[in-house]
Amino acid sequence: MGEETAVCRRSIHYQLSGSQEGTEDRYIRDHGRETATHRKAVTVMMGMKMVHDTVEIQDADWTYTYDLQEKTGTKTTNPLKYMTEEYNKLTAAEREQVRKNAESVGASFMQGMNGKVEENVTTILGQGCDRTSMMGTTVHMIHGTAIPLKTETEMAGMKMASVATAFDEGKVDDTFFQHPAGIEAVHDRQADEMSRTMATQTMAMLKDPDGMKKMEQGATIPGLGPGEGNEADKEMMEQVDRIMKGMGGK
């Protein structure tokens, strides 16, 4: 069990500084298919202090978000589930087209955002990291994964940083994945519909041989308002990338 546990269970502890100060503890198991994030932080903005005490738990089906201060909770379907469902409907030829378009879109997106990706350029807590810089944010992720060990953001006069202070393998207690007692997670069905629409439209565009051309011409995903496109594109590409890597297998 020891070797398997080391591979599929991780815990990472972060120190938050800048506009938001506090700690974040992230627990990962089942090769990244299940995560639990516990955050305790304080944000000071325009003289106002906001206290954050939250827990987010994600599994293959759901994302649960709990506010321990307000004693409220929501749950939404894991967006990757919709993306995977759409991907599984495709023929072998369509999946190959998705791969080609996803690679092209990823490169085009980074270029359009003046982004830069450098592989294995830093070492943090003994882990080789890839460095991605884009739109005022620099992220150091464990090589070949989507696990960040250092994130720095400077935007609109605000500076924030999240730096890992400890990285452990095989030391994840199941209690960290327990849902807070006495708080009901209310199903946000509107968010689910938006995620389903995004998955359907994204996969339809990626399987289209002319999909890349349409994206370059400014085609957007229905249901998004002004200014939401860039963030949606980023989220979409992350989800497609996870499917390409075996639906979160790293």
Side-chain angles (χ1 to χ4, degrees), residues 35-40 51-59 62-76 176-187:
T35 62
T37 303
H38 298 246
R39 176 184 284 247
K40 293 180 181 289
V51 178
H52 310 274
D53 188 359
T54 62
V55 175
E56 181 179 285
I57 300 171
Q58 185 174 80
D59 58 31
W62 298 96
T63 297
Y64 300 86
T65 304
Y66 297 97
D67 186 328
L68 304 186
Q69 285 281 114
E70 301 294 329
K71 304 297 182 185
T72 59
T74 60
K75 70 174 183 178
T76 57
F176 294 120
F177 289 82
Q178 292 181 356
H179 296 248
I183 302 178
E184 179 185 1
V186 179
H187 189 183

Side-chain angles (χ1 to χ4, degrees), residues 19-187:
S19 302
Q20 188 173 98
E21 296 188 352
T23 60
E24 180 177 293
D25 302 305
R26 186 176 302 184
Y27 305 95
I28 303 168
R29 66 183 184 185
D30 192 17
H31 302 280
R33 296 182 182 90
E34 294 181 82
T35 62
T37 303
H38 298 246
R39 176 184 284 247
K40 293 180 181 289
V42 174
T43 299
V44 178
M45 186 178 299
M46 300 178 65
M48 297 181 60
K49 180 185 291 186
M50 292 172 284
V51 178
H52 310 274
D53 188 359
T54 62
V55 175
E56 181 179 285
I57 300 171
Q58 185 174 80
D59 58 31
D61 296 315
W62 298 96
T63 297
Y64 300 86
T65 304
Y66 297 97
D67 186 328
L68 304 186
Q69 285 281 114
E70 301 294 329
K71 304 297 182 185
T72 59
T74 60
K75 70 174 183 178
T76 57
T77 300
N78 185 338
L80 186 61
K81 183 176 181 180
Y82 291 135
M83 293 289 286
T84 303
E85 287 176 355
E86 293 301 317
Y87 183 75
N88 288 339
K89 295 176 184 178
L90 304 179
T91 64
E94 288 173 333
R95 292 184 185 187
E96 182 59 29
Q97 187 64 56
V98 166
R99 290 188 181 92
K100 291 179 180 179
N101 277 340
E103 291 176 0
S104 297
V105 171
S108 178
F109 177 75
M110 288 298 294
Q111 184 177 3
M113 295 295 106
N114 294 320
K116 183 179 181 181
V117 179
E118 303 165 279
E119 294 192 357
N120 266 326
V121 293
T122 58
T123 300
I124 300 175
L125 300 177
Q127 304 293 317
C129 294
D130 302 334
R131 180 169 58 208
T132 300
S133 303
M134 182 173 61
M135 296 179 66
T137 297
T138 300
V139 184
H140 301 251
M141 290 181 282
I142 297 176
H143 177 62
T145 77
I147 301 174
L149 292 185
K150 183 178 181 180
T151 304
E152 296 175 302
T153 299
E154 184 172 356
M155 191 176 299
M158 297 178 60
K159 292 184 179 181
M160 291 184 291
S162 171
V163 180
T165 57
F167 177 90
D168 301 311
E169 293 186 327
K171 298 182 180 180
V172 179
D173 194 306
D174 292 343
T175 58
F176 294 120
F177 289 82
Q178 292 181 356
H179 296 248
I183 302 178
E184 179 185 1
V186 179
H187 189 183

Side-chain angles (χ1 to χ4, degrees), residues 209-221:
D210 294 325
M212 184 61 190
K213 184 184 299 183
K214 292 178 180 178
M215 291 181 191
E216 290 174 344
Q217 293 173 347
T220 59
I221 299 169

